[in-house]
Amino acid sequence: MPIYKYIIISLFFLASIASPLCAADEDYKNLEIFTDIYSLIRANYVEEVDSKQLIYGAVRGMLATLDPHSSFLTPEMFLEMEADTHGEFGGLGIEITLQNNSLLVVSPIEGTPADKAGIQSGDEIVAIDEVSTADIDVMEAVAMLRGPEGKPVKLLIKRPGVIEPIALNLVREMIQIVSVKGQLLEERYGYVRIAQFQDRTSDELIEELAALKKSRPDQKLQGVILDLRNNPGGLLEQAVAVSDLFIDTGLIVYTQGRDPQSQLEFRAHPENTEPDYPLIVLINGGSASAAEIVSGALQDHGRAVIMGEQSFGKGSVQTMIPMSDDSGLKLTTARYFTPNGRSIQALGISPDILVPRQQGLFDHSDNGVRETDLQNHFQPTVPSNEVEVADREATNVKDLSDDYQLQRAVELLKGLTILTRH
């Protein structure tokens, strides 16, 4: 038997140990089909093929039958994924996903070339540098979009409601995502935006809140607006740390999966908790994953008023597993639940106060992408409630007059401040 058969059988044997529900004889029977096809391709395909590429392709095929968030990363892609957590990489600044084999934009990252070019949530990227995006996975698309600073890239975009495709010529930049930024509103209220949960997000949030307090004569804030709109998520531990800043005790989030090691609980600690000032969290359809953990925890504890629009609904946990050749496996291993036991998978977080991005916009015109739109997404663990959802494309914050949702948040913050005085 050729050496590659031994390698594949060994890998499959390890997988079968982790899957006790599958009978070993059936596993080996299915594996025999796989190895036979592999042998036939190697021996009879019209051109000589690279065995590693065949194996990589087979792995991608396996993962494609699972959920939209599990994927295989080549060594180059694995390095790119690690760069994301540090918030610096060369590219365009687009969060993308697959829906029915179409490459869709979840949201452009604020201040990046994609944002400046006017790319919108719901846009379909049909070609990158004149190469069709049909039949490629998300990580392959990410690799095509990334590149050295200053290198141009051509995109062909299909936009809902627009007949003709849109051709865009962009130049890649070094994307340095500022995780946290803030300002004082009306010299009394703190406004803090978290763009993404990276490895220093909680530390940066502590520093930003401290700076806002120092800018006040009494070194106190009368209320804070935490803006998580179009925040695609990031590191779970950072979502827990941010929640812990505002909650002094109790459960923040817990996860459940088949592996006992994936059944975890994360709890708040009384140390370094922020004062109990009024807190409002802004969310929309681009608020996903870690952003939903924070908003769900603060909502369940009654610590904040959640305002805006229904969130994305990504309630699954992915584990990064490095492989022996420096490639990586991004595998969905658990679901996460809010402190009250709510699974937000394919449901999202419902705001306490539903506010559209523009006044009077509740016309149900929604071109954004949500978890429920993704192929093979996990179904909710509880029935979906009927929730009115408006257009979820949020404007970038420039000032109060630019942002209707932020205006409403400030008005509510004023009311809550008045109530806390009595």
Side-chain angles (χ1 to χ4, degrees):
M1 182 182 289
I3 185 64
Y4 61 79
K5 282 198 174 185
Y6 287 115
I7 295 172
I8 297 171
I9 290 173
S10 299
L11 292 172
F12 197 88
F13 178 72
L14 291 174
S16 67
I17 294 175
S19 306
L21 297 180
C22 296
D25 55 347
E26 184 177 352
D27 286 347
Y28 283 111
K29 183 178 180 180
N30 293 333
L31 179 61
E32 185 176 4
I33 296 172
F34 178 87
T35 54
D36 286 345
I37 293 173
Y38 180 89
S39 300
L40 287 168
I41 293 172
R42 291 273 291 164
N44 299 298
Y45 186 66
V46 64
E47 295 179 350
E48 188 174 348
V49 293
D50 186 323
S51 60
K52 175 176 280 192
Q53 293 308 312
L54 279 180
I55 296 299
Y56 278 10
V59 172
R60 289 192 187 97
M62 282 192 289
L63 292 168
T65 66
L66 302 179
D67 69 290
H69 306 295
S70 294
S71 59
F72 174 73
L73 293 82
T74 64
E76 296 77 17
M77 293 176 182
F78 194 46
L79 283 175
E80 292 283 357
M81 179 66 71
E82 290 181 328
D84 280 356
T85 65
H86 300 292
E88 181 174 307
F89 53 88
L92 302 177
I94 314 176
E95 294 290 336
I96 57 176
T97 190
L98 279 180
Q99 175 188 335
N100 299 325
N101 296 322
S102 297
L103 189 67
L104 297 185
V105 175
V106 174
S107 64
I109 299 172
E110 184 177 345
T112 62
D115 182 41
K116 296 170 186 175
I119 292 176
Q120 301 176 8
S121 174
D123 283 350
E124 179 185 353
I125 303 175
V126 296
I128 303 172
D129 283 333
E130 300 180 353
V131 176
S132 172
T133 59
D135 301 321
I136 68 170
D137 62 27
V138 170
M139 297 312 302
E140 288 177 304
V142 168
M144 294 171 70
L145 292 169
R146 298 278 176 90
E149 180 181 9
K151 186 175 181 180
V153 59
K154 297 179 181 179
L155 299 184
L156 190 64
I157 300 289
K158 285 178 64 178
R159 180 165 295 164
V162 178
I163 297 176
E164 294 295 326
I166 302 170
L168 296 174
N169 294 310
L170 297 89
V171 177
R172 294 178 176 92
E173 295 179 3
M174 184 56 64
I175 308 298
Q176 295 179 319
I177 300 174
V178 179
S179 178
V180 180
K181 61 181 180 181
Q183 65 185 77
L184 277 180
L185 301 175
E186 302 187 5
E187 299 183 356
R188 293 187 291 173
Y189 308 112
Y191 167 82
V192 182
R193 169 162 174 74
I194 300 179
Q196 193 169 323
F197 289 88
Q198 300 164 1
D199 50 10
R200 287 200 72 254
T201 295
S202 59
D203 291 336
E204 291 176 10
L205 178 57
I206 292 171
E207 293 167 3
E208 187 62 47
L209 289 171
L212 292 177
K213 291 170 188 173
K214 286 181 180 179
S215 63
R216 288 273 302 151
D218 58 2
Q219 296 199 2
K220 293 181 180 179
L221 296 174
Q222 296 187 27
V224 169
I225 296 170
L226 182 63
D227 191 349
L228 300 180
R229 292 174 297 179
N230 287 338
N231 181 320
L235 300 176
L236 171 63
E237 59 266 28
Q238 286 299 309
V240 171
V242 167
S243 302
D244 199 1
L245 287 176
F246 301 102
I247 302 171
D248 60 4
T249 186
L251 193 61
I252 291 175
V253 65
Y254 66 95
T255 64
Q256 288 186 344
R258 292 172 59 204
D259 186 342
Q261 293 185 351
S262 67
Q263 298 178 17
L264 305 172
E265 290 187 353
F266 300 88
R267 295 186 172 274
H269 305 88
E271 297 82 16
N272 303 319
T273 303
E274 281 290 297
D276 194 25
Y277 44 63
L279 180 64
I280 294 174
V281 178
L282 287 173
I283 62 172
N284 68 354
S287 307
S289 191
E292 294 174 296
I293 289 175
V294 174
S295 53
L298 297 179
Q299 188 178 52
D300 281 6
H301 280 271
R303 178 61 187 90
V305 176
I306 311 301
M307 178 180 280
E309 299 153 288
Q310 192 79 5
S311 65
F312 185 84
K314 181 180 178 292
S316 59
V317 179
Q318 282 69 48
T319 300
M320 294 299 303
I321 306 170
M323 308 305 291
S324 59
D325 66 345
D326 296 325
S327 63
L329 176 62
K330 181 182 177 186
L331 188 66
T332 299
T333 54
R335 289 181 171 90
Y336 66 73
F337 296 81
T338 70
N340 289 348
R342 292 184 294 157
S343 170
I344 61 176
Q345 172 60 27
L347 295 174
I349 296 294
S350 300
D352 300 307
I353 301 175
L354 194 62
V355 180
R357 67 179 177 92
Q358 294 178 12
Q359 189 171 10
L361 190 66
F362 283 128
D363 59 359
H364 299 283
S365 60
D366 180 11
N367 294 326
V369 183
R370 299 182 70 237
E371 179 78 9
T372 51
D373 300 321
L374 305 185
Q375 191 172 0
N376 294 337
H377 70 269
F378 287 128
Q379 295 300 316
T381 57
V382 294
S384 174
N385 296 322
E386 291 295 325
V387 181
E388 184 178 15
V389 179
D391 191 326
R392 291 184 294 272
E393 181 192 347
T395 57
N396 293 334
V397 176
K398 298 179 179 66
D399 54 48
L400 285 177
S401 63
D402 257 359
D403 194 325
Y404 177 65
Q405 291 173 325
L406 184 55
Q407 290 176 37
R408 289 288 306 274
V410 172
E411 292 170 3
L412 178 60
L413 204 54
K414 291 178 179 178
L416 294 173
T417 303
I418 293 171
L419 287 175
T420 57
R421 293 175 184 167
H422 298 286

